[in-house]
Amino acid sequence: MSRATGKDTQSPAPHIADSHDMIRVHGARENNLKDVSIELPKRRLTVFTGVSGSGKSSLVFDTIAAESQRLINETYPAFVQGFMANLARPEVDVLDGLTTVISVDQQRMGADPRSTVGTATDANAMLRILFSRLGKPHIGPPGAYSFNTASVKASGAITVQRGDKTKAEKATFERTGGMCTRCEGRGKVSDIDLTQLYDDSKSIAEGAFTIPGWKSDSQWTVGLYAQSGFLDPNKPIRRFTKKEMHDFLYGEPTKVKVNGINLTYEGLIPKIQKSFLSKDKEAMQPHIRAFVERAVTFTVCPECDGTRLSEGARNSKIKKISIADACAMEIRDLAEWVRGLTEPSVAPLLTALQQTLDSFVEIGLGYLALDRSSGSLSGGEAQRVKMIRHLGSSLTDVTYVFDEPTIGLHPHDIQRMNNLLIRLRDKGNTVLVVEHKPEAIAIADHVVDLGPGAGTAGGTVCFEGTLDALRASGTVTGRHLDDRAALKDTVRKSTGALEIRGASANNLQDVDVDIPLGVLTVVTGVAGSGKSSLIHGSIPAAEGVVSVDQSPIRGSRRSNPATYTGLLDPIRKAFAKANGVKPALFSANSEGACPTCNGAGVIYTDLAIMQSVATPCEDCEGKRFQASVLEYHLGGRDISEVLGMSVTDAEEFFGSGDARTPAAHAILSRLADVGLGYLTLGQPLTTLSGGERQRLKLATHMADKGGVYILDEPTTGL
């Protein structure tokens, strides 16, 4: 006790709030997790390891991050929640000690042509405001410098009521936008190669069309043009009159009658655009995808020279630099230019813009330009771009969740990423990282290893502790931490060379290189050095070239490995042949679907602002098919039992005996070769991890016939 104050000077007892220093997870069962219980230290950097598909993302993203976001959404009024996505509560008994979660995943950024590095980070928005204030000549508000804003002009009459009188007055509206009218802000114009659509030396009746799926006996395609009355089906296309050619290529939609059926006739170009070009190319069958790549060409817009901007926006300048020039600069050079602007009237704007641009340089992306299409970024670049808005944040005690932040990074760049993660932790935040690379695991304060295998063979916690203890643990990850790749003593000889001359895509500087054929060639370099630009931008997507990039495969809850790989087609045909019925009966998305749940296997009950409830369909018991369909068997199994098989079991099932189906067996063998033997054929794609999706994509594309295979970081997520 102090003599001066008479008060007790001993240290106060620990406050109860200080005890909440752990994130507690008990009984997590999301996806393949098997009743996982774990306690994670707050304000530390925890790395989650394990083979692809072991349950890392299920625990970190689908359980911890998902529940945090759901709880945050519940703090909003019911009216606001009505406009938000309904998030289901993860399959977990207890989640305690959560803080606000900020997720930075490895999903590629949007591939829309109008999405750029600048628009994705708000740097473009600040530049537009800057030019609207300082640009000479002044052309208008910020929208006048935006390639996503079109110029609009309108006039007409409006009704104005004053007191008890109503009067019509003329009104005009005008908005100045920065969009190039020729390319509509895309920077490129597309053109269709007509020689890939038809042989103009033949008539329609002689089979002039060379479009996949356009058979001469189809009244919906060839028959429509032959019997429309607009064209002479027996005249070679090259001899069409000017009017016939216009009707053939650009005819407006018109109702016609073909064989007594009312159909809509329209020109070949708009029909091809609707039938092929408006669809996701990744979801197309290989031969359709190859046709689209052959038939459609993209060239730089001659009107705006690829800048996407109108003439007015290109001519308005600050110190002889237009907004198009600024966006085309490397960001590190743009940061220096902005630093040289000292206009007091826009000082706060210059400060914010400078901080954003400096963040690019700090994170190792100073070589990018703001007009770089976001869809052209690698997985590693996209993830670092997403991090930029968080670097200068003053928030603390936040949980940051990263999904393989070093993906796509050269070992030279990994240390820079490690420093950023450590910086976030040292500001008082909890950092959870899903990782595979030893250099990133090395900075962990705490390591959680999941496994021991993937899919049903994983989902348990194999190890918790320090990195040194992990090395000595004997787990799969621990044994491989010190592995070093050995070089081959002898290499295969090439059979030729693919010559690339004057490559200049993105940051390439007139590169000449000969790529040997008939051998495995690896293109290396630091992130952003031009590897993808060289290969994808210089090797034409012609016949014989199979390209597998990092874009994620898309799929709904109805999509599964059997539908994505095309495996279901030979399976349905085998069932149909064995039972003498139609193949469509064995599709849960077609005639064989349970009418009660429409083939979904579950019934969804919408509860407005509350999460939707999914209950197994009572009629089909979750099997998705009609009871009559399940009476048909192949090799003693019905279709639902086959879709419930693992790839390994199905490979054996379709490899011999009554169920022997060579086409199905070949696809299953490829899936097994990439290590997906544990997946079930009917498992929804939405439940697969990033690594599993990448391997599924590889197994599918490796069936494409080609002389040159281009694989963009095929080990992503592995």
Side-chain angles (χ1 to χ4, degrees), residues 396-686:
T396 60
D397 220 355
V398 172
T399 299
Y400 285 91
V401 178
F402 294 92
D403 193 0
E404 297 184 52
T406 61
I407 188 173
L409 296 187
H410 188 276
H412 168 80
D413 300 311
I414 291 180
Q415 187 56 48
R416 178 184 277 118
M417 178 60 71
N418 285 349
N419 292 338
L420 292 172
L421 296 175
I422 292 172
R423 220 175 83 192
L424 287 173
R425 178 203 63 188
D426 291 347
K427 287 173 63 176
N429 299 305
T430 303
V431 181
L432 307 181
V433 183
V434 174
E435 257 301 345
H436 290 290
K437 294 186 179 176
E439 300 93 334
I441 300 173
I443 65 171
D445 299 313
H446 189 69
V447 180
V448 178
D449 189 47
L450 281 89
T456 56
T460 61
V461 176
C462 300
F463 170 85
E464 273 190 88
T466 63
L467 177 63
D468 291 336
L470 176 62
R471 291 181 188 276
S473 65
T475 63
V476 174
T477 305
R479 293 197 303 270
H480 284 80
L481 276 177
D482 297 319
D483 280 358
R484 292 294 180 267
L487 298 178
K488 298 170 67 173
D489 295 329
T490 59
V491 295
R492 182 185 302 175
K493 291 184 179 180
S494 65
T495 58
L498 180 64
E499 296 183 356
I500 296 178
R501 297 290 181 266
S504 56
N506 296 326
N507 65 329
L508 297 179
Q509 301 174 17
D510 202 30
V511 172
D512 296 337
V513 66
D514 293 336
I515 298 179
L517 297 175
V519 297
L520 176 63
T521 300
V522 179
V523 181
T524 64
V526 298
S529 59
K531 304 182 295 296
S532 296
S533 299
L534 175 65
I535 302 302
H536 292 293
S538 304
I539 298 179
E543 198 74 49
V545 176
V546 178
S547 179
V548 184
D549 59 21
Q550 297 182 43
S551 60
I553 64 175
R554 296 175 177 86
S556 67
R557 193 184 179 283
R558 288 178 176 269
S559 303
N560 52 54
T563 58
Y564 180 79
T565 60
L567 172 64
L568 194 57
D569 289 337
I571 290 178
R572 288 187 305 178
K573 290 177 181 178
F575 265 94
K577 184 177 180 180
N579 295 279
V581 293
K582 294 187 298 183
L585 284 176
F586 303 98
S587 170
N589 297 323
S590 186
E591 294 183 25
C594 168
T596 304
C597 63
N598 293 321
V602 294
I603 303 294
Y604 292 99
T605 305
D606 184 8
L607 299 178
I609 65 171
M610 307 297 290
Q611 71 183 69
S612 298
V613 176
T615 55
C617 176
E618 295 182 358
D619 287 353
C620 68
E621 298 179 345
K623 295 180 179 180
R624 304 174 62 190
F625 292 91
Q626 300 175 26
S628 59
V629 174
L630 299 180
E631 294 177 0
Y632 299 116
H633 291 80
L634 175 67
R637 303 288 184 94
D638 64 42
I639 184 65
S640 68
E641 291 173 329
V642 169
L643 292 177
M645 289 182 177
S646 67
V647 168
T648 301
D649 293 340
E651 184 182 12
E652 181 180 351
F653 179 73
F654 288 106
S656 60
D658 295 338
R660 184 176 181 274
T661 309
H665 186 264
I667 297 174
L668 290 163
S669 296
R670 288 193 296 271
L671 290 173
D673 288 342
V674 296
L676 295 178
Y678 59 88
L679 288 184
T680 57
L681 305 188
Q683 183 174 342
L685 290 187
T686 52

Side-chain angles (χ1 to χ4, degrees), residues 248-368:
F248 177 56
L249 295 177
Y250 306 105
E252 295 290 329
T254 307
K255 294 291 184 182
V256 296
K257 183 166 287 189
V258 177
N259 294 330
I261 301 175
N262 291 323
L263 300 175
T264 300
Y265 173 90
E266 62 181 334
L268 185 62
I269 298 299
K271 192 173 186 69
I272 291 297
Q273 289 174 333
K274 292 178 182 177
S275 302
F276 297 99
L277 307 189
S278 62
K279 297 180 180 179
D280 178 17
K281 193 166 67 172
E282 183 59 35
M284 295 177 178
Q285 293 178 306
H287 70 288
I288 301 294
R289 190 187 313 120
F291 163 73
V292 171
E293 291 172 345
R294 291 195 311 270
V296 183
T297 58
F298 293 90
T299 57
V300 174
C301 176
E303 187 87 11
C304 65
D305 198 26
T307 63
R308 304 180 170 92
L309 292 163
S310 64
E311 184 178 2
R314 300 196 304 271
N315 292 335
S316 180
K317 299 182 178 182
I318 301 174
K319 292 187 176 181
K320 299 182 179 180
I321 297 293
S322 69
I323 190 170
D325 299 329
C327 290
M329 290 182 184
E330 286 195 359
I331 291 176
R332 51 184 163 225
D333 296 331
L334 179 59
E336 290 302 317
W337 179 75
V338 172
R339 196 171 282 112
L341 302 178
T342 56
E343 178 60 43
S345 63
V346 291
L349 177 63
L350 290 173
T351 300
L353 179 58
Q354 188 66 58
Q355 289 175 348
T356 299
L357 298 176
D358 286 343
S359 294
F360 273 99
V361 179
E362 180 185 4
I363 207 169
L365 296 177
Y367 59 85
L368 293 179

Side-chain angles (χ1 to χ4, degrees), residues 138-158:
H138 178 74
I139 62 171
Y145 297 88
S146 170
F147 53 77
N148 286 325
T149 303
S151 295
V152 177
K153 183 182 292 185
S155 62
I158 61 173

Side-chain angles (χ1 to χ4, degrees), residues 38-61:
I38 192 171
E39 293 187 350
L40 305 173
K42 286 186 180 178
R43 293 171 288 281
R44 296 292 184 270
L45 197 158
T46 300
V47 174
F48 295 79
T49 63
V51 299
S52 177
S54 60
K56 305 182 297 298
S57 295
S58 297
L59 176 60
V60 178
F61 283 89

